Amino acid sequence: MTARIGVVTFPGSLDDRDAQRAVRLAGAEPVALWHRDKDLHQVDAVVLPGGFSYGDYLRCGAISRFSPVMETIIEQARGGLPVLGICNGFQVLTESHLLPGAMLRNESLHFVCRDQRLRVENVDTAWTVDYTPGQEISVPLKNGEGRFTADPRTIDELEAEGRVAFRYLDVNPNGSINDIAGITNAAGNVVGLMPHPEHAVEPLIGTGGTDGLAFFTSILKRLVNA
Amino acid sequence: MTLDTVKNAEQTPDAEQPWAALGLKPDEYARIREILGRRPTGAELAMYSVMWSEHCSYKSSKVHLKQFGDKKPVTDALLVGIGENAGVVDVGQGIAVTFKIESHNHPSYVEPYQGAATGIGGIVRDILAMGARPVAVMDPLRFGAPDHPDTRRVLPGIVAGIGGYGNCLGLPNIGGEVVFDPCYQGNPLVNALCVGVMRHEDIHLAQASGPGNKVVLYGARTGGDGIGGASILASETFDGTKPSKRPAVQVGDPFQEKLLIECTLEIFREKLVAGIQDFGAAGLSCATSELASGGSGGMRVELDNVPLRDNTLSPEEILMSESQERMCAIVEPDKVDRFLEICEKWDVIATVIGEVTDGDRLEIFWHGEQIVDVLPRTVAHDGPVLNRPFARPSWQDALQADAPTAERLKRPADGDELRAAVLQLVGSPNQADKSWITSQYDRFVLGNTVLATPEDSGMIRVDEESDLGVAIATDGNGRYAKLDPYTGAQLALAEAYRNVAATGAKPLAVSDCLNFGSPEDPDVMWQFAEATRGLADACLTLGTPVTGGNVSLYNQTGDVAIHPTPVVAVLGVIDDVNRRTPMAFAEEGQLVYLLGDTADELGGSAWTQVAHDHLGGLPPRLDLERERLLAEILISGSRDGMVDAAHDLSDGGLIQALTESCLRGGRGARLVVPEGLDPFVFLFSESAGRAIVSVPRSEELRFTEMCGVRGLPATRIGVVDGEIIEVQGQFTLPLAELREAHTGTIEALIG
């Protein structure tokens, strides 16, 4: 039996089918979750995909955070359910207070789509065990509001506890503090990042790399060994 | 104000009507009265005025567009041809692809962000209405002088609008063009292409049949935006003395459109619609009259049921509004409940506004009174057809006589001058790297993008099991078309065709966006007649039918028209996307071959523009049989693994293509000027029918033998090597220096 990984579709989710594909390619079973449905259908982990949920109106992720499915996810994530938030999903996680901080408009004031190099800083989370410490990977990045920020105390805490999971290399594409690309909660089950690992899972597609696949094999390994 | 009912119109034949303000000509108004046997009601007048506008009726262009049908090549790839929302092409394995290119030029000048955004929205709904899932978009753009202050208003707005809408909609933007020329200063061109994928059995058409079937309007509420967009805005020349036309521009909501796409696809999956039409130009007037005229019966509509954003709208305004993100479906009565349920699931408002009748008339009611009673065909299809006068412009001969000979324009005389000319060319706004613009578009979403900008064509995997894919390229060159519209249009086709083949795909079909000045000017009309004749002739020779497209006229300010700018999109198919050919020269030691013949052809070239600000002479000669042969070689080379990279030669010539391939791959090249060729001509000529390829040494013999047997000239011009571009005996240029010249330009000008 393999792991069941839920992928939430909010109205305006765009990368939900891509996330399902990545889950499938890693060998797990993708399960579509609907924003209006509180039931998580016995999934073992959840991916909040990229996109513009609810049009990103009001503020990115601010409305999704109140959707019925998030009620259950917030509750279960506090109890240890592994959750990965990608891009808009990361924004939903900060709005839900499952992760600290917030995302501001990119420093350039433009949407940016590029192949981004990252360093994996924490390989102990549920979503990164298949990486090696300090591994440098390349995955697509695409956002208009991806500039991670938090108050200095929170940043110090994140850094001190090794909770900065990914850092931008070469270029900081949005002006985030300390080149932060993604973070984890203290327990390591909730991870959020702005770049898109689900777009780097096939050698032919996108930028032609598979550096993102280990996110999904990591969670599979964690769940199957659990 | 009293309601102008049909009854009222019969009783008050002499009432004053604002037909002129709605853009109608006196004879057109007389014709409407003749058709109806009375004066039109206000609502009828509104419908006729938008549907008979240049933008919707193609009245000036129709007689010329007919050639695309008359000269249609024999092909079994075409499942749906011209006349529907978009053409549909069979790509094999039971899969069909639909694609179309459209213009949103006028609105994008008046209000760049919303104009460009709703341009994407409109073309995406056209594709959706055929039954397909939209899978990618492309945007060929043309702007005025890069250093003109207004370009800094127009360009960032348009780019942000395309990104803002397309990114939020979740469609990868995989290609297009960015061209600068002062001729577009007051008339930027914003063309938008969308491609969609479906199974053969899922093709949907715009027709309302079956009396008793319900007419369902779903999507956004109707507001007061975009009233007169088609008639007042897109069908007239800009004139600085009139009031702003900004209210005629629609306002887009990409989130609503995303919901509309997913909702519509779910409705298609459950086979709930008998006919479907999107709301584009002319809104409800267009959707109801086209659906009714495409079907067998009549239609009765209760306008009171249309959900409104603004309750003060008059019935005429409701009929003319071009509010975005709306669709109209014909649904059998027993399927209406399920239809509405799916709309509710996606938070999409859906309302039954009428039904198909067994009569033959389109009847519209407001507050219980009839305000429209017409034969739908007279609105949708019987618009005026004009045989506008055209004549070869008096200045054409002098323009063609002003050839860029070595005597007329000073050419680089030695290696140093050549080197300087190369740097100037590859750093010029038209030839420079466009990633400042394209990096604002998402090219990865949906996870099927095989190739995207700046590759020769965008390529999308359409089947994850078989790795079947399609490639699309759009090209146009207004400078060539100005010198010779017939050949210029053919060169646009040839370039797009070549670009598709360069990536390894077999070209199948064409969509075109014909951007011209005012049809009331015989010079412009001649350009249009020549361009359409050229394009139709070339499509016949190359075996690629025109499946649909769009005409945009009145792209002129005062008396000054833009360069005639036919933009041609070619769609091709590739059986296995794993075999695609990228443009990057990435492997040390591979051999660089130049395919095709190079002559001294610089008329309309990038070099004449950059070095001398000159436009004169004739564009490059075109040999369509050679284009076909070159394409066959490129496709074979890709399929059989004989070439690792290929790049088409077009504006900027060989040195431009080589620069792009080398920078993309991060490798230099050492070149030798072929014997008998002048170094300047070798590097800068824009002779058509050419490409450069990089060939692994192990494949050299097989490749050159294939070219030899088939009769395609293939000249070994060098080798991929090191980190400099060296032209032996002439100059060397470090890649870093080239990169700096090539990549900083756009941001410095616009950023």
Side-chain angles (χ1 to χ4, degrees):
Chain A
M1 210 189 82
T2 184
R4 288 162 53 81
I5 299 180
V7 177
V8 176
T9 299
F10 298 104
S13 288
L14 303 179
D15 303 306
D16 43 345
R17 296 190 306 155
D18 306 54
Q20 289 178 19
R21 184 190 295 116
V23 166
R24 197 165 49 242
L25 289 172
E29 181 193 344
V31 178
L33 301 178
W34 184 239
H35 69 111
R36 283 191 195 172
D37 188 357
K38 279 189 185 183
D39 188 346
L40 298 189
H41 302 274
Q42 291 91 46
V43 296
D44 305 301
V46 169
V47 178
L48 303 178
F52 291 72
S53 58
Y54 295 92
D56 273 355
Y57 296 140
L58 186 58
R59 198 171 61 239
C60 305
I63 304 177
S64 312
R65 170 244 181 288
F66 291 103
S67 63
V69 75
M70 283 308 297
E71 274 183 47
T72 320
I73 290 174
I74 291 169
E75 184 191 313
Q76 294 196 11
R78 291 197 173 119
L81 177 76
V83 179
L84 174 67
I86 303 169
C87 196
N88 193 228
F90 186 17
Q91 294 163 336
V92 175
L93 288 175
T94 60
E95 288 289 336
S96 307
H97 303 296
L98 287 172
L99 291 174
M103 251 61 72
L104 297 175
R105 188 98 189 267
N106 293 349
E107 215 167 35
S108 68
L109 303 182
H110 293 296
F111 185 96
V112 60
C113 175
R114 65 192 309 271
D115 193 14
Q116 178 69 45
R117 301 225 314 132
L118 303 175
R119 188 167 55 237
V120 184
E121 303 270 31
N122 181 331
V123 296
D124 297 324
T125 81
W127 301 90
T128 54
V129 291
D130 261 357
Y131 290 104
T132 54
Q135 188 175 339
E136 296 183 0
I137 62 173
S138 196
V139 293
L141 170 124
K142 37 172 219 180
N143 61 63
E145 298 182 32
R147 181 179 165 197
F148 180 80
T149 190
D151 61 274
R153 224 174 100 185
T154 305
I155 295 291
D156 289 346
E157 201 176 289
L158 287 171
E159 293 286 1
E161 295 175 6
R163 286 169 54 198
V164 173
F166 313 94
R167 232 183 276 275
Y168 297 120
L169 287 177
D170 305 339
V171 174
N172 181 331
N174 46 38
S176 67
I177 292 180
N178 293 3
D179 299 333
I180 292 173
I183 57 175
T184 173
N185 67 351
N189 64 313
V190 180
V191 171
L193 78 165
M194 288 313 295
H196 288 258
E198 83 285 15
H199 286 325
V201 293
E202 294 181 272
L204 189 68
I205 300 296
T207 54
T210 57
D211 285 355
L213 195 60
F215 276 80
F216 305 93
T217 55
S218 291
I219 186 66
L220 186 61
K221 187 180 279 178
R222 172 64 63 93
L223 291 169
V224 171
N225 293 342
Chain B
M1 201 183 84
T2 55
L3 185 64
D4 191 15
T5 62
V6 172
K7 203 177 288 170
N8 187 41
E10 281 163 352
Q11 287 163 356
T12 57
D14 299 324
E16 284 281 316
Q17 295 197 280
W19 49 269
L22 290 169
L24 286 166
K25 301 282 187 283
D27 55 323
E28 292 170 349
Y29 178 64
R31 174 103 190 284
I32 295 167
R33 294 188 67 124
E34 190 189 331
I35 287 172
L36 294 173
R38 58 172 163 78
R39 77 162 174 87
T41 64
E44 289 166 342
L45 185 66
M47 292 180 74
Y48 279 106
S49 74
V50 286
M51 289 303 289
W52 285 17
S53 67
E54 183 65 58
H55 186 79
C56 292
S57 75
Y58 294 87
K59 57 188 162 192
S60 303
S61 55
K62 237 179 203 170
V63 292
H64 301 284
L65 300 176
K66 217 168 123 297
Q67 299 171 82
F68 295 140
D70 295 345
K71 298 183 197 167
K72 191 174 70 174
V74 179
T75 168
D76 44 15
L78 203 58
L79 300 174
V80 175
I82 297 179
E84 282 292 336
N85 282 313
V88 181
V89 181
D90 179 13
V91 293
Q93 303 177 15
I95 296 175
V97 166
T98 176
F99 75 121
K100 188 177 167 187
I101 184 166
E102 263 192 359
S103 64
H104 231 220
N105 302 338
H106 293 82
S108 301
Y109 178 67
V110 176
E111 169 52 57
Y113 187 99
Q114 292 297 345
T118 55
I120 301 246
I123 191 66
V124 167
R125 285 193 303 282
D126 270 341
I127 294 307
L128 180 63
M130 294 306 298
R133 174 178 278 281
V135 295
V137 293
M138 289 177 127
D139 285 276
L141 307 175
R142 282 166 177 77
F143 302 103
D147 52 359
H148 191 287
D150 199 46
T151 303
R152 294 182 67 104
R153 170 186 74 94
V154 172
L155 187 147
I158 285 171
V159 170
I162 290 168
Y165 202 97
N167 296 341
C168 187
L169 200 51
L171 293 176
N173 193 313
I174 58 171
E177 306 162 86
V178 179
V179 177
F180 298 94
D181 193 293
C183 79
Y184 304 112
Q185 199 64 59
N187 298 88
L189 302 185
V190 176
N191 295 172
L193 176 145
C194 182
V195 56
V197 180
M198 68 189 125
R199 309 284 316 169
H200 285 186
E201 58 271 23
D202 292 337
I203 296 174
H204 282 71
L205 300 177
Q207 47 187 238
S209 296
N213 283 351
K214 300 298 178 190
V215 180
V216 186
L217 168 61
Y218 68 110
R221 291 172 182 275
T222 299
D225 56 327
I227 289 176
S231 50
I232 312 297
L233 188 54
S235 302
E236 278 184 20
T237 301
F238 282 131
D239 178 346
T241 61
K242 288 184 185 164
S244 162
K245 291 177 174 179
R246 192 166 300 178
V249 180
Q250 314 88 325
V251 177
D253 176 2
F255 172 58
Q256 181 71 49
E257 179 111 334
K258 169 68 179 171
L259 298 182
L260 201 58
I261 291 175
E262 297 303 330
C263 172
T264 302
L265 290 172
E266 192 164 332
I267 285 164
F268 286 153
R269 269 200 298 280
E270 297 197 16
K271 305 200 182 308
L272 298 178
V273 298
I276 190 159
Q277 174 71 297
D278 67 300
F279 279 56
L284 202 57
S285 298
C286 176
T288 53
S289 63
E290 287 194 348
L291 275 167
S293 130
S296 55
M299 186 185 285
R300 180 190 167 99
V301 172
E302 303 286 343
L303 215 50
D304 305 73
N305 291 349
V306 174
L308 299 180
R309 216 180 288 160
D310 172 358
N311 289 324
T312 65
L313 290 182
S314 70
E316 292 85 357
E317 289 171 322
I318 297 171
L319 283 168
M320 288 174 82
S321 162
E322 295 185 5
S323 286
Q324 297 290 291
E325 293 95 24
R326 298 179 299 161
M327 305 274 285
C328 195
I330 305 299
V331 186
E332 289 170 24
D334 60 341
K335 292 178 174 165
V336 169
D337 284 350
R338 180 61 190 145
F339 186 102
L340 298 179
E341 214 171 271
I342 293 176
C343 289
E344 196 280 330
K345 172 184 167 186
W346 288 100
D347 299 315
V348 169
I349 298 172
T351 317
V352 176
I353 60 164
E355 66 177 39
V356 179
T357 62
D358 52 10
D360 58 1
R361 303 190 76 80
L362 172 60
E363 302 169 275
I364 300 180
F365 292 80
W366 176 253
H367 296 351
E369 303 219 53
Q370 185 164 13
I371 56 167
V372 171
D373 180 13
V374 296
L375 281 170
R377 207 187 150 72
T378 64
V379 180
H381 297 294
D382 294 346
V385 176
L386 303 179
N387 277 294
R388 295 220 189 249
F390 58 88
R392 185 183 168 91
S394 55
W395 42 261
Q396 196 75 35
D397 286 341
L399 183 70
Q400 293 186 345
D402 183 21
T405 57
E407 295 74 45
R408 169 80 172 80
L409 301 182
K410 185 186 174 312
R411 297 177 174 186
D414 57 28
D416 286 345
E417 289 186 11
L418 276 173
R419 187 184 195 279
V422 169
L423 284 172
Q424 188 191 18
L425 181 85
V426 301
S428 67
N430 280 337
Q431 306 306 320
D433 171 67
K434 301 300 188 308
S435 44
W436 185 84
I437 289 170
T438 54
S439 69
Q440 296 185 46
Y441 310 148
D442 182 350
R443 59 184 179 277
F444 299 116
V445 63
L446 298 181
N448 285 310
T449 305
V450 179
L451 295 174
T453 318
E455 298 286 341
D456 281 353
S457 65
M459 188 179 287
I460 292 286
R461 177 176 63 183
V462 299
D463 188 280
E464 290 186 37
E465 297 298 316
S466 66
D467 282 340
L468 178 71
V470 296
I472 305 179
T474 69
D475 287 292
N477 189 319
R479 285 167 56 83
Y480 289 170
K482 174 94 179 208
L483 298 178
D484 176 354
Y486 180 89
T487 309
Q490 296 194 328
L491 284 163
L493 169 67
E495 187 183 345
Y497 182 92
R498 200 155 63 225
N499 272 320
V500 165
T503 57
K506 179 183 184 325
L508 285 183
V510 167
S511 179
D512 59 355
C513 194
L514 305 172
N515 308 279
F516 288 77
S518 167
E520 295 163 31
D521 177 345
D523 289 0
V524 170
M525 219 42 227
W526 175 82
Q527 294 171 332
F528 187 81
E530 283 295 285
T532 46
R533 189 169 67 85
L535 188 55
D537 287 348
C539 284
L540 181 60
T541 306
L542 290 177
T544 49
V546 175
T547 62
N550 168 248
V551 176
S552 174
L553 300 175
Y554 294 99
N555 292 291
Q556 72 178 51
T557 303
D559 290 336
V560 185
I562 59 164
H563 291 339
T565 312
V567 173
V568 180
V570 170
L571 178 133
V573 63
I574 179 164
D575 293 336
D576 179 357
V577 291
N578 293 287
R579 306 249 42 119
R580 89 271 178 261
T581 312
M583 65 182 266
F585 286 179
E587 297 296 329
E588 289 268 346
Q590 291 201 346
L591 304 167
V592 181
Y593 270 84
L594 169 63
L595 309 180
D597 290 308
T598 305
D600 186 339
E601 296 185 287
L602 288 139
S605 67
W607 176 78
T608 59
Q609 184 178 32
V610 171
H612 296 283
D613 193 16
H614 174 267
L615 177 60
L618 288 170
R621 285 183 303 275
L622 182 63
D623 176 350
L624 290 166
E625 289 306 333
R626 172 58 66 78
E627 295 288 347
R628 189 207 302 275
L629 175 61
L630 174 66
E632 286 171 3
I633 294 284
L634 288 167
I635 295 164
S636 297
S638 148
R639 194 184 49 225
D640 299 337
M642 286 183 272
V643 300
D644 271 16
H647 197 10
D648 104 294
L649 264 54
S650 54
D651 51 323
L654 178 121
I655 193 62
Q656 175 70 22
L658 187 85
T659 298
E660 290 171 356
S661 285
C662 285
L663 290 180
R664 184 98 166 135
R667 296 269 183 263
R670 280 184 288 121
L671 299 188
V672 180
V673 181
E675 219 168 302
L677 212 49
D678 171 72
F680 167 75
V681 171
F682 170 61
L683 295 172
F684 291 91
S685 163
E686 298 187 3
S687 292
R690 299 185 303 158
I692 47 173
V693 293
S694 88
V695 180
R697 285 177 189 272
S698 60
E699 301 296 328
E700 182 181 18
L701 192 59
R702 200 154 69 104
F703 181 73
T704 51
E705 276 181 354
M706 173 175 72
C707 292
V709 169
R710 306 290 296 274
L712 181 71
T715 314
R716 183 165 146 177
I717 57 168
V719 60
V720 179
D721 183 47
E723 291 189 351
I724 55 173
I725 287 183
E726 178 189 357
V727 180
Q728 227 169 60
Q730 300 296 331
F731 64 87
T732 60
L733 251 173
L735 280 192
E737 194 177 345
L738 260 183
R739 192 181 297 278
E740 198 187 315
H742 186 56
T743 53
T745 310
I746 302 297
E747 185 169 3
L749 284 164
I750 310 288

